[in-house]
Amino acid sequence: MSAHEHRIDRRDFLKGRIASDEGTGQAGSARFLYIASAVVTARAEDCPEVARCIAEMPGTEIHGIEGTKIIVVMESENNGDIGSRLTEMALMDRVFSANLVFEQIEPLNDHGGDR
């Protein structure tokens, strides 16, 4: 096999469009679940309200509040959604910062999206 047969386009990889069959070069046919966690910081007295607003975002859960930190977990089948949500959090009133802490990519099978 040549190196070209296993080549994955960097732009496709970063956008979550990875070929499902090795060597086909057909990007976009595989499905993945993107799981990410973030820490959002705000004043301690603002954290409960900020956390409530974040929890209203689709595919987003609050896993805890500790002092000035809100621990957030996000899931999506589109990698761009994670970045968009993180940016939305960072731009919220009373939020000082929103930082990605962890990201994992899980392949989805073709049987209803089960992991």
Side-chain angles (χ1 to χ4, degrees):
M1 288 184 220
S2 71
H4 180 71
E5 289 179 88
H6 292 301
R7 186 171 167 222
I8 295 175
D9 182 87
R10 182 176 182 271
R11 189 167 300 186
D12 286 340
F13 177 75
L14 292 173
K15 291 188 176 201
R17 298 184 307 243
I18 302 171
S20 64
D21 296 307
E22 281 189 24
T24 65
Q26 300 295 320
S29 57
R31 292 180 51 218
F32 296 92
L33 178 65
Y34 297 88
I35 304 163
S37 64
V39 173
V40 176
T41 58
R43 294 173 63 121
E45 60 269 20
D46 292 334
C47 282
E49 178 62 20
V50 170
R52 187 192 62 74
C53 292
I54 292 170
E56 291 176 357
M57 294 179 179
T60 305
E61 297 177 9
I62 302 300
H63 277 263
I65 299 173
E66 294 183 15
T68 61
K69 296 179 177 132
I70 303 166
I71 296 94
V72 180
V73 174
M74 300 171 278
E75 291 185 355
S76 178
E77 288 186 34
N78 180 339
N79 192 30
D81 289 345
I82 300 291
S84 294
R85 272 185 252 156
L86 191 62
T87 299
E88 187 176 342
M89 288 176 215
L91 296 174
M92 293 174 91
D93 287 339
R94 300 178 289 179
V95 168
F96 296 136
S97 66
N99 297 294
L100 188 68
V101 176
F102 174 82
E103 186 175 34
Q104 181 171 334
I105 303 170
E106 292 287 329
L108 295 174
N109 65 27
D110 293 329
H111 304 292
D114 292 337
R115 288 180 231 161

